[in-house]
Amino acid sequence: MIKRLHLLRTILPMVVVGFIGTSSSGQSLGFLDTTAQLFIGGASTYILPKDQLEVQFTNGLTSYWLAFNEFTQDNYSRIANRRRTTFFQQKLRAIYGFSASQRWDLGVEASYNHYRDDDDARSSPLRVFSEGHPETGYTYRGLASLGFRVRMTPLASLPEWTIQAGYSFPVGNLAPSVKRLLSSDLSTADLLSTFFRKIGEGSYYFVQAQGLYQYSTERVNYQGAGSFYLVQRLGGSWYLFPGVSYVWSNQSQKRGNYSNVSQIIFGGVGLQWQPRFAYSMSLVYLYPFRYDIGSPFVEVVPNSYASINLGLRVLLNQ
């Protein structure tokens, strides 16, 4: 049982980060109008013209309490301990336009991850940025993965629909236990499909579906997710996009019969500032309305949960 609780504690950050890493990765929503390019989604409906370069830099922080339950002889549960888990991911992407018809582009990406497991549940999530307070926990960080990504428009007559596919592989010389905490022991393949449509003056809707597969020598993870956003231009250089997302994840060990299914329903809101067509910055906040991690012994405390993503996007060679 203790081994299973430890596995849950290490795989839970991957459920959120795997989703946020694509759904809030700083890519543009597409040709909303002559000036708007939104940061919603590694789901870009904007395909680069030939020889144009797009650079993205995103920073995602997720932190929450894990409550460990124990059961009495009368089968009543009580919280035996609480810990704070914090995961911070930085991702850099460079995408280049190769297609003269502007139907596809190709990019490379690198992820640098930070992880802290703190025995003091009321500690600050910002401890993930320092080496301090070793009496309650330790911070680990390192280069996690390198990969590539292709974006395409399957139908020239329907530019609102795009598909993305990506593959990343683990890198670095960290100890195996640290790699596991940083999710840097996993190779990842993902596929995304997105669609947007104008519904009024300065208003749009945006939907996204994602499938993700991760594997290592010890474990296999599957994930499916869907999102729906309403986008509203506030005037000038500002855009607001509230939305809802559903994430389903299955994590299993290759040895033994351990398997865990998690389900999360997120509500979220994003704000983008875009002073020029080539420059934009976004801030996205997610809150879990439902967080079922599939175990009666461990639960995420919703009121302790915080997930924030800050992204910067720049177009070059215009």
Side-chain angles (χ1 to χ4, degrees), residues 228-289:
F228 177 85
Y229 286 92
L230 288 174
V231 182
Q232 179 62 52
R233 186 171 186 173
L234 301 180
S237 304
W238 295 93
Y239 300 84
L240 182 71
F241 44 95
V244 61
S245 301
Y246 172 77
V247 183
W248 175 93
S249 181
N250 180 290
Q251 304 96 29
S252 60
Q253 299 294 306
K254 290 185 176 180
R255 298 178 181 178
N257 59 358
Y258 175 78
S259 180
N260 183 77
V261 175
S262 302
Q263 298 184 75
I264 317 173
I265 298 177
F266 287 110
V269 62
L271 185 66
Q272 176 171 306
W273 176 60
Q274 183 177 351
R276 295 183 180 181
F277 178 79
Y279 306 96
S280 41
M281 181 179 294
S282 74
L283 182 67
V284 179
Y285 173 78
L286 297 175
Y287 179 83
F289 293 118

Side-chain angles (χ1 to χ4, degrees), residues 87-92 110-114 141-145:
F87 198 95
F88 180 66
Q89 183 181 67
Q90 297 174 287
K91 181 169 287 189
L92 179 65
S111 295
Y112 191 90
N113 295 345
H114 310 240
R141 58 176 58 90
L143 183 63
S145 65

Side-chain angles (χ1 to χ4, degrees), residues 40-259:
I40 307 175
S44 172
T45 55
Y46 178 60
I47 307 299
L48 294 173
K50 183 174 174 58
D51 297 328
Q52 191 171 98
L53 177 66
E54 178 179 344
V55 178
Q56 309 163 13
F57 181 56
T58 58
N59 301 269
L61 175 70
T62 299
S63 186
Y64 49 82
W65 290 357
L66 276 181
F68 294 83
N69 299 324
E70 64 180 12
F71 289 83
T72 65
Q73 293 181 347
D74 299 324
N75 206 31
Y76 288 100
S77 65
R78 63 182 182 184
I79 296 177
N81 189 23
R82 289 184 179 182
R83 305 178 67 92
R84 176 173 290 281
T85 295
T86 303
F87 198 95
F88 180 66
Q89 183 181 67
Q90 297 174 287
K91 181 169 287 189
L92 179 65
R93 277 183 179 157
I95 305 171
Y96 192 81
F98 289 94
S99 170
S101 61
Q102 202 174 345
R103 293 285 303 278
W104 64 276
D105 54 29
L106 182 67
V108 294
E109 61 186 32
S111 295
Y112 191 90
N113 295 345
H114 310 240
Y115 175 89
R116 183 176 177 88
D117 179 38
D118 206 313
D119 192 48
D120 180 6
R122 296 187 178 276
S123 65
S124 169
L126 299 182
R127 285 187 180 182
V128 76
F129 299 111
S130 73
E131 306 293 341
H133 305 281
E135 69 278 5
T136 61
Y138 293 94
T139 299
Y140 305 92
R141 58 176 58 90
L143 183 63
S145 65
L146 297 175
F148 62 88
R149 178 164 297 273
V150 60
R151 306 185 300 194
M152 66 189 74
T153 355
L155 300 175
S157 59
L158 193 64
E160 298 95 338
W161 177 37
T162 62
I163 290 178
Q164 273 191 60
Y167 179 80
S168 62
F169 52 90
V171 294
N173 298 316
L174 302 171
S177 59
V178 176
K179 282 190 172 185
R180 188 179 182 88
L181 292 173
L182 294 176
S183 301
S184 62
D185 62 328
L186 295 164
S187 296
T188 301
D190 73 275
L191 182 67
L192 284 87
S193 178
T194 67
F195 185 80
F196 81 89
R197 180 62 57 88
K198 185 174 183 177
I199 56 177
E201 186 61 33
S203 301
Y204 314 83
Y205 72 81
F206 172 78
V207 292
Q208 166 183 308
Q210 174 198 10
L212 182 144
Y213 172 69
Q214 295 177 309
Y215 65 94
S216 71
T217 57
E218 297 182 357
R219 51 185 173 156
V220 176
N221 304 323
Y222 302 92
Q223 186 177 108
S227 303
F228 177 85
Y229 286 92
L230 288 174
V231 182
Q232 179 62 52
R233 186 171 186 173
L234 301 180
S237 304
W238 295 93
Y239 300 84
L240 182 71
F241 44 95
V244 61
S245 301
Y246 172 77
V247 183
W248 175 93
S249 181
N250 180 290
Q251 304 96 29
S252 60
Q253 299 294 306
K254 290 185 176 180
R255 298 178 181 178
N257 59 358
Y258 175 78
S259 180

